[in-house]
Amino acid sequence: DLSGISTFGPSTMIVVSNRLPVDATENEDGSISWGLAPGGLVTALEPFMRENASTWVGWAGISDLVLAPFERDGVKLVSVTLSENDVELFYEGFSNDTLWPLYHDVIEAPSYHRAWWEVYRSVNQKFADVVAAEAAEGATVWVHDYQLQLVPQMLRELRPDLTIGFFLHIPFPAYGLFSQLPWRRQIIEGLLGADLVGFQRAQDVDNFLRIVRRIMAYKVIGGHVTVPSRGEENRYVVARNFPISISYPDIQKLIKDPAVIARSREIRESIGNPKIMILGADRLDYTKGFLHRLKAYDELLSDGDLDPTEVVMVMVASPSRERVDSYIKLRDDVELAVGRINGQYGELGHYPVVYLHHNYPREEMMALFLAADVMLVTPLRDGMNLVAKEFVAARSDGDGVLVLSEFAGAFDELKAAVAVNPHDIDDLKKQILRAKDMAPAERRQRMLSMRRRVREHDVEKWSRDFLKALAHTNRVS
Ligand code: GDG
């Protein structure tokens, strides 16, 4: 479906991310239509993009697909074609098996392959070339995430007239870890092609600036990096944190839906109306701490601190990166652990773990949040963690307890959560019990303070803050 393309000229605002925010649906005649897929980034940027003759550049999610630009809801979508080999080496390889584990504190060992790096570079160049061809004179370009860290510099070389912002959704590691990367210098140079480099947490900014100093020996004062340019004036790059968030109004609308409220009751009934429902909902990823959580729960049951007839832990594990070896292994390990616990402590018709390897609609996620007494968000390392903020935003009843890892970016803002170090199984056990036994007044006080924070710092504010800072950077330099 190519309707609407001709109404667009070059764009003054371009968003670039690995994936286009689109879903394909197959028509009766076998042709494919594309719709804008709702998601955090889309919601955050949609109003802004519609006002600004905007373009979104990204991969449509199907290899070797050549797709003409098309328009959806006032946004022009431009697809970057990736070959099967690109997907394997750039996406599954370098992005998800080198950068992802390295940037998450090497929870799994990163693989360093020169062939993956070469394809990472060439795919980043493809993205930069497409953007360069789409952008109007002096346009603003916002590049997203770890898959595209070379795009800012490549783009600056092609189009010095552009204002370029970059935002990293995942953590930026400490020097001692980052310096493992054989291509560490190239990555830093790639990022420094931007005018503004945004991170989730203040500690990510600190890590980045320390690395810039040590690897590039550039002058860093406050959040400003001076990038010397041969024969030209020096450039200035700003590094700052912009904690991402959720759409508060969207969630308020969802949780008022009578069907969602009814469903939350139904969920409790369907798991046998337990005294306590504990919930976890994450992508099935080794950063999210599934095995640590299961170990703590198993020990609480075997110690007799939790009664298997009174408590149910619902564990939603949404399918993720199913072709990467470490994810295949993780799934096996999680399912083994769940099976052991249910075999040991379950009875006919009642199991202490309800494990769901599914992708649910947003309505179902909200109903789950509303049904839970205790929400466990216990990643070993996480850039932000939106599930924590979604849970808080959903609990307009002021009830529910959030147990939150200190290693999630959200911890910097949600100080009223029950803090936990998920690497410490005893601490996990202790905090789960504390959450379960917390008095209603304390639950309410903590929840209200977290809700205020999320309401006042939602995703719309995040994108506004970033784009304002980006416009400002350009003026100063
Ligand atoms: C990366 C960073 C950072 C999950 N299962 C289902 C489902 N979800 C939704 C959640 C939430 C989103 O997916 C996951 O976001 P997170 O932030 O929790 O984690 P990552 O996917 O790892 O995201 C992270 C984020 O980028 C944004 O910058 O916060 O740190 O790692 O919205 O609700 N949604 C539906 N069905 C599911 O089964 N509908």
Side-chain angles (χ1 to χ4, degrees), residues 8 38 69 76 95 110 125 128 150 152 160 171 174 221 325 339-341 350 368 392 423 450:
F8 279 91
K76 180 182 179 186
S95 297
Q125 190 66 57
L150 305 179
I221 299 172
D325 285 345
R340 285 227 168 109
I341 296 174
H350 183 87
L368 283 160
V392 165
H423 299 269
M450 292 191 287

Side-chain angles (χ1 to χ4, degrees), residues 310-428:
E310 290 186 340
V311 57
V312 172
M313 181 157 93
V314 176
M315 197 171 227
V316 176
S318 32
S320 184
R321 304 178 190 170
E322 290 178 281
R323 296 189 347 175
V324 179
D325 285 345
S326 46
Y327 289 76
I328 297 171
K329 164 118 178 29
L330 173 69
R331 183 174 173 193
D332 286 345
D333 292 346
V334 166
E335 292 179 359
L336 182 72
V338 169
R340 285 227 168 109
I341 296 174
N342 281 338
Q344 179 87 27
Y345 306 103
E347 283 167 30
L348 280 173
H350 183 87
Y351 297 98
V353 182
V354 174
Y355 165 79
L356 303 157
H357 187 246
H358 292 305
N359 217 320
Y360 287 111
R362 277 180 71 68
E363 289 75 10
E364 182 75 358
M365 299 291 281
M366 293 301 141
L368 283 160
F369 291 152
L370 291 178
D373 300 299
V374 174
M375 180 81 205
L376 298 183
V377 177
T378 64
L380 303 171
R381 179 56 81 193
D382 214 331
M384 176 53 57
N385 197 294
L386 294 178
V387 172
K389 291 187 172 180
E390 285 163 0
F391 174 69
V392 165
R395 294 309 294 254
S396 61
D397 61 350
D399 208 350
V401 183
L402 175 65
V403 177
L404 181 59
S405 164
E406 295 163 27
F407 294 84
F411 182 73
D412 290 349
E413 297 170 85
L414 304 180
K415 290 290 186 207
V418 172
V420 69
N421 171 6
H423 299 269
D424 177 348
I425 303 295
D426 284 335
D427 193 39
L428 265 173

Side-chain angles (χ1 to χ4, degrees), residues 53 74 77 109 133 170 195 210-211 238 248 252 270 282 297-298 351 362 364 411 453:
L77 299 162
I170 67 174
D195 296 292
R210 188 162 307 129
I211 288 164
V238 177
Y248 195 82
Q252 302 319 298
S270 71
D282 316 77
Y297 188 59
D298 189 346
Y351 297 98
R362 277 180 71 68
E364 182 75 358
F411 182 73
R453 172 74 203 189

Side-chain angles (χ1 to χ4, degrees), residues 178-473:
F178 184 76
S179 54
Q180 286 185 5
L181 189 66
W183 309 279
R184 59 197 185 187
R185 204 184 156 86
Q186 289 95 314
I187 295 282
I188 297 299
E189 283 172 344
L191 292 170
L192 288 176
D195 296 292
L196 172 64
V197 185
F199 298 91
Q200 302 277 27
R201 306 180 88 161
Q203 69 183 46
D204 300 320
V205 178
D206 291 348
N207 287 344
F208 175 71
L209 292 175
R210 188 162 307 129
I211 288 164
V212 167
R213 253 191 242 114
R214 294 192 63 168
I215 294 182
M216 308 303 295
Y218 290 165
K219 197 166 91 185
V220 176
I221 299 172
H224 289 65
V225 181
T226 306
V227 180
S229 311
R230 258 173 273 123
E232 289 165 47
E233 262 182 78
N234 289 340
R235 284 181 52 237
Y236 297 93
V237 179
V238 177
R240 234 190 82 184
N241 65 318
F242 298 87
I244 201 169
S245 192
I246 47 90
S247 167
Y248 195 82
D250 279 6
I251 291 183
Q252 302 319 298
K253 213 162 95 198
L254 279 165
I255 58 163
K256 278 190 200 117
D257 180 346
V260 169
I261 298 167
R263 177 66 190 148
S264 79
R265 284 197 205 102
E266 207 177 281
I267 287 171
R268 288 250 358 177
E269 270 161 40
S270 71
I271 57 171
N273 276 320
K275 227 167 111 185
I276 302 288
M277 171 176 158
I278 300 175
L279 176 65
D282 316 77
R283 267 190 315 102
L284 187 47
D285 194 295
Y286 50 78
T287 60
K288 303 292 183 184
F290 280 92
L291 295 170
H292 294 66
R293 217 183 298 157
L294 284 165
K295 188 168 181 57
Y297 188 59
D298 189 346
E299 288 188 16
L300 285 169
L301 291 167
S302 80
D303 297 347
D305 289 325
L306 285 179
D307 179 343
T309 63
E310 290 186 340
V311 57
V312 172
M313 181 157 93
V314 176
M315 197 171 227
V316 176
S318 32
S320 184
R321 304 178 190 170
E322 290 178 281
R323 296 189 347 175
V324 179
D325 285 345
S326 46
Y327 289 76
I328 297 171
K329 164 118 178 29
L330 173 69
R331 183 174 173 193
D332 286 345
D333 292 346
V334 166
E335 292 179 359
L336 182 72
V338 169
R340 285 227 168 109
I341 296 174
N342 281 338
Q344 179 87 27
Y345 306 103
E347 283 167 30
L348 280 173
H350 183 87
Y351 297 98
V353 182
V354 174
Y355 165 79
L356 303 157
H357 187 246
H358 292 305
N359 217 320
Y360 287 111
R362 277 180 71 68
E363 289 75 10
E364 182 75 358
M365 299 291 281
M366 293 301 141
L368 283 160
F369 291 152
L370 291 178
D373 300 299
V374 174
M375 180 81 205
L376 298 183
V377 177
T378 64
L380 303 171
R381 179 56 81 193
D382 214 331
M384 176 53 57
N385 197 294
L386 294 178
V387 172
K389 291 187 172 180
E390 285 163 0
F391 174 69
V392 165
R395 294 309 294 254
S396 61
D397 61 350
D399 208 350
V401 183
L402 175 65
V403 177
L404 181 59
S405 164
E406 295 163 27
F407 294 84
F411 182 73
D412 290 349
E413 297 170 85
L414 304 180
K415 290 290 186 207
V418 172
V420 69
N421 171 6
H423 299 269
D424 177 348
I425 303 295
D426 284 335
D427 193 39
L428 265 173
K429 290 164 69 179
K430 195 167 115 194
Q431 304 312 334
I432 291 171
L433 291 178
R434 184 166 162 224
K436 166 184 94 77
D437 295 330
M438 190 179 283
E442 186 181 350
R443 296 206 293 259
R444 189 176 168 75
Q445 197 194 348
R446 286 171 181 265
M447 185 53 82
L448 292 184
S449 116
M450 292 191 287
R451 284 179 63 75
R452 194 176 324 119
R453 172 74 203 189
V454 175
R455 190 177 65 232
E456 288 167 3
H457 294 79
D458 85 344
V459 73
E460 218 223 288
K461 176 170 159 49
W462 169 80
S463 58
R464 230 185 314 120
D465 285 353
F466 184 92
L467 290 167
K468 214 164 79 190
L470 181 55
H472 186 71
T473 356

